[in-house]
Amino acid sequence: MSEGRADPPKTPATSPPQQAQELPEVKTLAEIPVDSRMGEGAEPDASHDAARARRAHRQLAFSDAMGVAAAVVIALVVNVLGARHYWRWDVTSESLYTLSKTTEHTLAGLSEPVEIWVLLSESDPQSLTLRHLLAAYSSQSSQLRVRFVDPDRSPAELFAAQQRFGIVAGKSEGGQVVTDAAIVVARGKRRHFVTSSELVSVEPGEELRVRPEVERMLTTALGEVLRGEPVDVCFTSGHGEPDLDTGGDDGLLPLRGRLEKANFAVRALPSAEALEGRDSISECELVVIAGPRQRLSKREIERLEAYLGSGGNFLIAAGPVPDEAARGFVGLGLDPLLGAAGLMQRQDLVFERAPAMRASAAQGELFFVKLAPHPITLGLVAAGGENGVAMLEASSLSVLPNARVVPEPLALTSDESFGMRDVFAWAESGASPEPTDGDVRGPLTLAYAAELPKLRTGAEHGSRIVVLGTASLLHGRNWRGRDLALGALFVEGAVSWLAAKTVVLDIPAKSARLSGLKITEEALATVLFGVVLVLPMASLFAGVFVRWRRGASEARGRRGPAERRPGKREKRDEREPAKREKRDEEQVS
């Protein structure tokens, strides 16, 4: 403290008076605004989740809509492609539903509607085959109108078909309705009928092997109704030619039947000496000289030459013919007709020595020839049949040096072949055929085609001539067996070319398949042993075993817990405490 200055009196320190503190108003969570709870600028959780859910829902809806739209577009594209492009896969071992080139060509030529009526029951084995095959036909042409009529279920439709096509119907012993026509192909007033027996062919033999003929019959029927008026094909007669009504391997009846199915009117042409009244040779589109065995008279040759000069066409099939004394060949007098084609026929018998071209069962007089490119052989060559046409007893042909036309070769032999001139001396010797100095060496030409100059301007073509050095190609064996079928197709192609028709080959035959089983006595005994003894004993043993197992299961179910033997699980549970106690003792030690 300083002198002369008095300190103010001290007063005891006092604290300022405490004021009553006011507590803030407490609000419940429900009364606090959501924005205050979340902080400034914060979004509520519920609102945020809701917005996110709405966005996810919109995205999901958009994805669904795009998926549906894409599916619709894909379906439309697939339908459009399916309508414009028809794809099928034939997985059958016999290629039953694969159409041949001939069928495709025929269907491509349809320019107006053609009806196909199938009058078969749905239980018929051929019904399903026809449905698949006609589906393939319809995919190739929109002009087909296919209609299936079940005679058992649709009597009204069957009656309509009967009234329209004159079909005869009856009932079999089993009560099924059968008709005399299984298929009717119709175009306008033209119609063609196919019977049930024509849909398959049965091969001879011990085994029951059948060959499907459905495509062959259908395409033949289509070709029949598409063609116009029949074309006359005339066969010469009176010179030892086979008769048109003679069947068998050497007859002409199979050839006649095939030509008639191809819409040709086939008839025999009387010889000039037997002619009475007006000569109808001028009405023939084609004259066939099919293997004469006697010399044609001068009058007959003049008649045929006049026909050729007027624009006629010839198919000449003539092979070597021994004379009565077996010392030489008969001169058939065909030189003027052959000369018009620029050809001559040698007096020889052709032998083939190449192993790949000759038949093993003969000495070389039966052999296969190689086909040359020509409209007649085009289809056969394309199908791989250029070496499959067989000839028997043929003479070789040669081109004249001063020929006015240039004939085109159709069939040739190999380099190892030869034409034997002195056949009769060889036949007496009994030796194997071998070429000599006087024989003609191969390759030899056995078939030619020639076209003469046009007679008038604007004509489609001149007279056409096909010359074959053998008559064997016209014989019935070529249409009766599959081994010689290519020869039949060769002849049909020649006839089509000569008649100025589109060359349509026959439908290739399908493979035969086993349709039944042959049961021998041994096989029957084995079947009886299995059915009568083995199967009943096996069934009895299985029944006893099942009954024993069921009885054992029921016995275990009836036992109580005390009687029931402890199982593996129960024994394991009993041993578990002892194992734990042993582990604890080991840890303590």
Side-chain angles (χ1 to χ4, degrees):
M1 181 180 296
S2 303
E3 293 181 1
R5 183 175 179 182
D7 293 329
K10 293 183 180 180
T11 57
T14 59
S15 58
Q18 295 183 354
Q19 298 178 357
Q21 296 182 355
E22 296 182 359
L23 297 176
E25 183 180 359
V26 179
K27 297 183 178 181
T28 63
L29 184 63
E31 295 174 339
I32 300 175
V34 176
D35 294 343
S36 301
R37 280 183 281 151
M38 297 293 297
E40 187 177 355
E43 293 289 339
D45 290 341
S47 177
H48 180 71
D49 294 342
R52 185 165 55 189
R54 285 192 297 270
R55 285 195 300 270
H57 179 72
R58 285 194 297 267
Q59 292 176 355
L60 183 60
F62 178 76
S63 300
D64 292 342
M66 292 299 297
V68 173
V72 172
V73 172
I74 293 174
L76 289 175
V77 171
V78 170
N79 278 275
V80 171
L81 292 177
R84 295 185 178 181
H85 308 281
Y86 184 80
W87 293 289
R88 298 175 68 253
W89 292 270
D90 187 357
V91 296
T92 59
S93 58
E94 299 89 2
S95 299
L96 294 177
Y97 311 119
T98 300
L99 302 183
S100 64
K101 296 297 182 182
T102 302
T103 299
E104 293 178 354
H105 175 81
T106 303
L107 294 172
L110 295 181
S111 58
E112 56 183 294
V114 175
E115 297 180 79
I116 300 180
W117 290 61
V118 180
L119 309 177
L120 289 176
S121 173
E122 291 186 2
S123 60
D124 192 285
Q126 294 294 337
S127 180
L128 183 60
T129 299
L130 280 167
R131 288 185 182 275
H132 288 304
L133 195 59
L134 286 174
Y137 272 63
S138 300
S139 69
Q140 297 290 328
S141 176
S142 59
Q143 298 291 347
L144 291 181
R145 307 290 186 266
V146 182
R147 188 171 183 178
F148 286 86
V149 177
D150 189 337
D152 297 320
R153 300 183 179 182
S154 304
E157 293 184 89
L158 176 62
F159 180 76
Q162 287 182 272
Q163 296 298 313
R164 179 177 175 183
F165 303 116
I167 295 174
V168 178
K171 284 195 174 184
S172 64
E173 295 181 358
Q176 293 183 333
V177 179
V178 294
T179 60
D180 59 344
I183 302 173
V184 181
V185 181
R187 180 182 70 92
K189 294 183 179 181
R190 296 187 64 86
R191 56 199 61 175
H192 188 88
F193 302 92
V194 179
T195 63
S196 298
S197 60
E198 293 177 314
L199 297 179
V200 294
S201 61
V202 182
E203 290 189 345
E206 295 183 357
E207 294 183 342
L208 182 58
R209 302 187 69 88
V210 297
R211 188 185 309 279
E213 302 285 354
V214 180
E215 183 187 1
R216 186 194 299 266
M217 293 295 103
L218 280 176
T219 303
T220 300
L222 285 173
E224 178 68 22
V225 301
L226 290 177
R227 296 184 179 96
E229 293 300 321
V231 175
D232 288 347
V233 176
C234 305
F235 284 71
T236 59
S237 61
H239 316 97
E241 300 94 335
D243 191 83
L244 286 173
D245 296 327
T246 301
D249 289 343
D250 298 325
L252 297 179
L253 183 60
L255 172 59
R256 174 182 181 174
R258 176 59 191 165
L259 293 178
E260 289 178 344
K261 284 188 174 182
N263 203 36
F264 289 100
V266 181
R267 59 186 176 91
L269 194 66
S271 64
E273 291 74 19
L275 185 63
E276 297 179 358
R278 185 180 67 87
D279 191 357
S280 62
I281 190 173
S282 59
E283 301 174 359
C284 301
E285 185 68 26
L286 171 64
V287 171
V288 181
I289 303 177
R293 304 191 66 83
Q294 302 172 10
R295 185 180 182 86
L296 277 68
S297 66
K298 181 179 180 181
R299 181 182 175 186
E300 182 71 22
I301 293 298
E302 290 176 350
R303 175 196 185 197
L304 296 177
E305 283 186 297
Y307 167 76
L308 179 63
S310 65
N313 306 293
F314 275 102
L315 172 59
I316 303 174
V321 180
D323 58 17
E324 294 182 359
R327 294 296 178 184
F329 294 110
V330 174
L332 299 176
L334 299 173
D335 293 343
L337 298 178
L338 299 179
L343 298 170
M344 65 167 289
Q345 188 170 19
R346 299 187 182 99
Q347 297 293 310
D348 60 5
L349 178 63
V350 176
F351 286 89
E352 180 61 75
R353 296 195 300 166
M357 303 295 288
R358 59 180 291 178
S360 59
Q363 293 183 298
E365 70 277 14
L366 174 60
F367 51 89
F368 296 95
V369 294
K370 181 179 180 180
L371 301 181
H374 188 272
I376 293 174
T377 63
L378 188 61
L380 285 172
V381 173
E386 64 272 14
N387 296 325
V389 175
M391 291 189 179
L392 173 66
E393 298 178 355
S395 293
S396 60
L397 303 170
S398 63
V399 180
L400 294 173
N402 57 349
R404 293 181 298 174
V405 297
V406 180
E408 299 181 57
L410 297 177
L412 301 92
T413 62
S414 72
D415 297 341
E416 301 181 41
S417 64
F418 68 97
M420 181 182 291
R421 294 185 181 273
D422 195 357
V423 178
F424 306 97
W426 162 78
E428 291 179 356
S429 68
S432 300
E434 295 293 338
T436 61
D437 294 339
D439 296 335
V440 185
R441 303 300 181 98
L444 304 174
T445 305
L446 306 184
Y448 276 100
E451 184 172 332
L452 278 58
K454 297 179 181 179
L455 295 179
R456 59 184 181 277
T457 305
E460 293 185 5
H461 60 82
S463 296
R464 291 177 171 178
I465 304 176
V466 171
V467 181
L468 307 178
T470 177
S472 63
L473 286 177
L474 304 187
H475 291 166
R477 63 172 60 91
N478 295 283
W479 283 266
R480 293 166 61 88
R482 187 180 182 186
D483 296 338
L484 303 176
L486 293 179
L489 299 182
F490 177 82
V491 173
E492 292 172 17
V495 172
S496 299
W497 181 75
L498 290 167
K501 284 193 172 187
T502 303
V503 179
V504 178
L505 300 179
D506 199 2
I507 308 299
K510 303 292 185 182
S511 301
R513 63 179 186 270
L514 190 63
S515 180
L517 294 177
K518 180 183 177 181
I519 301 180
T520 62
E521 294 294 336
E522 294 79 5
L524 183 60
T526 303
V527 172
L528 289 176
F529 176 77
V531 173
V532 175
L533 184 62
V534 175
L535 287 180
M537 292 298 295
S539 301
L540 179 62
F541 176 77
V544 171
F545 178 75
V546 171
R547 181 70 183 88
W548 174 77
R549 291 284 296 178
R550 183 178 299 174
S553 300
E554 292 177 353
R556 285 195 301 269
R558 288 193 298 268
R559 292 176 185 172
E563 300 177 358
R564 193 177 304 164
R565 294 181 179 179
K568 294 182 179 180
R569 185 174 180 181
E570 296 174 350
K571 293 180 179 179
R572 186 173 60 249
D573 294 343
E574 292 176 356
R575 292 194 299 265
E576 192 64 28
K579 290 182 179 180
R580 285 199 300 268
E581 184 177 353
K582 185 176 181 180
R583 284 198 300 268
D584 293 342
E585 292 177 355
E586 291 176 353
Q587 290 177 359
V588 171
S589 61

